[in-house]
Amino acid sequence: MTMVEAEAGKEAIRRALRSLRRRHLVEEGAHCPAIEALARPFAAQAVEWKEKAEKHELELQQCYKAQSRLSEQLVTEIEEGKASKALLKEKETLITTMQTELEQTREENTQLKQSLEEKTSALDLLIQEHQAVKAELEQALTKQKVAEDENRNLIDRWMLEKMKDAERLNEANAMYEEMVLKLKSAGVGGIQHNALQEADGIIRRSEAGYMDIMETPIPSTCRITIRAHDGGCGSIIFQHNTDKLISGGQDQTVKIWSAHTGALTSTLQGCLGSVNDLAVTNDNKFVIAACSSNKLFVWEVNGGRPRHTLTGHTKNVSSVDASWVKSCVLASSSNDHTIKIWDLQSGFCKSTIMSGSNANSLAFIDGDTLCSGHRDGHLRLWDIRSAKCTSQTFAHLDVSSVSVSRNRNFILTSGKDNVHNLFDPRTMEVCGKFKAMGNRVVSSWGRPCISPDENSIAAGANDGSVYIWSRLKKDGVPTILQGHSSSVVSSAWCGLGPLATADKHHIYIWT
């Protein structure tokens, strides 16, 4: 109820009260003569009636006042009733809205319940499928384990057969040499010469990159001793067709020495981390160092200016080699299970080869073929154009080093089984096996080498000795060089004759 309606009600009540008073006065005036006439006979009772009249008039006034109060209360009650009625309507509207929302909520609840039941059924189905797939996986793993055991047994049997074949080949070679000696003693000297030419591979002499090298003498005397690096020497290598010896060590430097005088000619700075391996491009313009800081560093030989820092490996870089054919192509291996091919012109990685086993060492065979020795004991050949393994063979329990001969006729591998194997890269078969009682390979860092004429193999040992085997002699007795005071970690044979070997503290030049 609005204020205007309330005021109108109050005004109506006031008009009604005024009308009652006027009516009372009119009635009182109309009856006055009758009252006076009646009063005369009753003069005696005038006082009593007057008192009663006053009393009645007083009561009438009180009734009027009570009526006025009741009227006001009535107006108030009416207003409150109207307000309550409006509030009731609001509540009824709210109840209606809430009932509608409740119905919607019930419908949504029903839908959600149905969806939950469907998803529960789907989950039960997925659990059943998962259990079935898990059972199939367990069966597949069991079959895989059985297959791996069978493959391992087959590999062991195959290696045993290969070893037997190698022993038979050695026996045949021994018989051949004995026959040649007999023919020579009988005066037929030309036959031995022709046979040796055929055994060395006369066809290979027409291949690209072949170098006719004079026979390399077996060294016997330490001519120069060099204190190379603080903390130890990690790797040594000769420049191609020069007497410049390059060494890298724990002091984070690469140094270039004269193998003729032992003098230091240059120091290459800027390497971060210990040097694990070294390489030189085929044009002798750049030196590359593989480091423990997960990087490779490239310097210009003339001037010693840093050229590139090759980043991409995520763990220790264990080995590096430069292509013998393409001067701008490098390969590196790391403990992150990768072999990376680099472009020296741009300083970027051209491709990445993933391997299931870390490669401890690698070397180029030709422009597009790479060999690597792995911790799982395998020697693998890779085509760097397709980044795929083209051939593999079991070489050792753990291949610690791989090197390729100067004319790329042989691959020399060393392993933690303290054996050095010569492989023919064309057939991947063992064509020579070298070992000695005291020759123990220096962990994963021993780097043996092949002489320039491919007839001798030099390998450092844990006791500080250097063992040199002749490939042509079948007695297997090595020449032993003494002089190192600690384990021999690396060796390199110069194309001009000298042999360099390095231990933790010194580099020895042997002639």
Side-chain angles (χ1 to χ4, degrees), residues 156-173:
D156 293 340
R157 289 166 55 191
W158 180 74
M159 287 301 301
L160 183 60
E161 292 297 326
K162 287 295 181 181
M163 290 179 181
K164 290 181 180 179
D165 291 342
E167 290 177 357
R168 286 194 291 268
L169 180 62
N170 291 335
E171 292 176 358
N173 289 334

Side-chain angles (χ1 to χ4, degrees), residues 425-440:
R426 297 174 299 179
T427 62
M428 292 294 283
E429 293 184 353
V430 177
C431 54
K433 188 182 292 287
F434 308 93
K435 60 182 178 179
M437 288 295 295
N439 179 243
R440 297 184 63 83

Side-chain angles (χ1 to χ4, degrees), residues 66-224:
Q67 185 181 6
S68 177
R69 288 195 301 270
L70 291 174
S71 299
E72 292 177 356
Q73 290 178 1
L74 179 61
V75 171
T76 304
E77 292 294 336
I78 291 172
E79 292 177 355
E80 292 179 354
K82 291 181 178 180
S84 298
K85 189 175 181 180
L87 182 61
L88 180 61
K89 289 182 179 180
E90 292 179 0
K91 296 293 184 181
E92 289 177 351
T93 305
L94 181 60
I95 289 172
T96 304
T97 304
M98 293 182 69
Q99 287 178 347
T100 304
E101 293 179 354
L102 179 60
E103 291 297 330
Q104 293 177 355
T105 304
R106 285 177 179 172
E107 292 178 359
E108 291 178 358
N109 188 20
T110 303
Q111 294 176 358
L112 289 173
K113 188 175 180 180
Q114 294 176 354
S115 177
L116 178 61
E117 291 176 354
E118 293 176 357
K119 290 183 178 179
T120 303
S121 302
L123 179 61
D124 293 337
L125 181 60
L126 286 175
I127 290 173
Q128 294 175 0
E129 292 178 354
H130 173 70
Q131 291 176 350
V133 171
K134 186 176 180 181
E136 293 177 359
L137 177 62
E138 290 177 354
Q139 293 177 358
L141 290 175
T142 303
K143 292 181 181 178
Q144 181 184 0
K145 187 175 180 181
V146 173
E148 288 177 352
D149 294 337
E150 292 178 354
N151 290 338
R152 196 176 297 109
N153 293 332
L154 288 173
I155 290 173
D156 293 340
R157 289 166 55 191
W158 180 74
M159 287 301 301
L160 183 60
E161 292 297 326
K162 287 295 181 181
M163 290 179 181
K164 290 181 180 179
D165 291 342
E167 290 177 357
R168 286 194 291 268
L169 180 62
N170 291 335
E171 292 176 358
N173 289 334
M175 292 175 61
Y176 170 77
E177 288 188 357
E178 184 179 358
M179 184 184 299
V180 169
L181 289 174
K182 288 180 180 180
L183 291 173
K184 184 177 180 180
S185 62
V188 188
I191 296 177
Q192 183 184 19
H193 177 71
N194 294 332
L196 287 175
Q197 278 190 336
E198 183 178 357
D200 288 339
I202 196 68
I203 298 176
R204 294 191 188 183
R205 298 177 185 269
S206 62
E207 295 178 352
Y210 178 83
M211 299 178 65
D212 192 9
I213 300 171
M214 298 179 61
E215 182 179 355
T216 304
I218 302 298
S220 59
T221 305
C222 177
R223 185 168 57 86
I224 298 173

Side-chain angles (χ1 to χ4, degrees), residues 363-371 381-385 390 425:
F364 274 98
I365 297 177
D366 56 35
D368 299 314
T369 305
L370 188 73
C371 66
L381 299 187
W382 305 89
D383 187 339
I384 64 173
R385 295 167 297 183
T390 59

Side-chain angles (χ1 to χ4, degrees), residues 293-479:
S293 60
N294 312 339
K295 298 179 179 64
L296 294 102
F297 297 88
V298 183
W299 294 270
E300 295 178 358
V301 173
N302 294 330
R305 186 173 67 90
R307 178 64 178 269
H308 296 297
T309 298
L310 308 180
T311 59
H313 286 296
T314 58
K315 289 186 179 180
N316 177 51
V317 184
S318 56
S319 181
V320 63
D321 193 27
S323 172
W324 295 24
V325 178
K326 303 174 183 179
S327 60
C328 60
V329 177
L330 296 178
S332 64
S333 64
S334 169
N335 293 340
D336 59 5
H337 295 272
T338 64
I339 296 173
K340 290 185 178 291
I341 310 300
W342 307 87
D343 182 3
L344 261 185
Q345 291 182 345
S346 63
F348 291 104
C349 177
K350 296 173 60 178
S351 62
T352 299
I353 301 172
M354 301 299 299
S355 174
S357 175
N358 283 329
N360 288 325
S361 180
L362 55 77
F364 274 98
I365 297 177
D366 56 35
D368 299 314
T369 305
L370 188 73
C371 66
S372 60
H374 296 257
R375 290 185 180 177
D376 62 2
H378 284 81
L379 173 67
R380 293 181 171 90
L381 299 187
W382 305 89
D383 187 339
I384 64 173
R385 295 167 297 183
S386 62
K388 292 183 178 180
C389 179
T390 59
S391 179
Q392 67 175 352
T393 185
F394 186 81
H396 305 275
L397 297 177
D398 183 351
V399 183
S400 60
S401 175
V402 169
S403 60
V404 178
S405 63
R406 192 179 183 92
N407 284 328
R408 300 179 292 284
N409 292 326
F410 300 102
I411 301 173
L412 174 63
T413 66
S414 300
K416 290 186 178 180
D417 53 2
N418 302 313
V419 177
H420 309 278
N421 290 328
L422 269 182
F423 286 88
D424 187 332
R426 297 174 299 179
T427 62
M428 292 294 283
E429 293 184 353
V430 177
C431 54
K433 188 182 292 287
F434 308 93
K435 60 182 178 179
M437 288 295 295
N439 179 243
R440 297 184 63 83
V441 175
V442 186
S443 184
S444 297
W445 305 108
R447 294 287 191 265
C449 62
I450 308 175
S451 63
D453 64 356
E454 302 181 338
N455 290 332
S456 301
I457 290 92
N462 208 16
D463 61 357
S465 302
V466 179
Y467 290 75
I468 302 176
W469 290 271
S470 172
R471 183 177 62 85
L472 303 179
K473 294 181 180 179
K474 301 306 177 183
D475 56 9
V477 178
T479 300

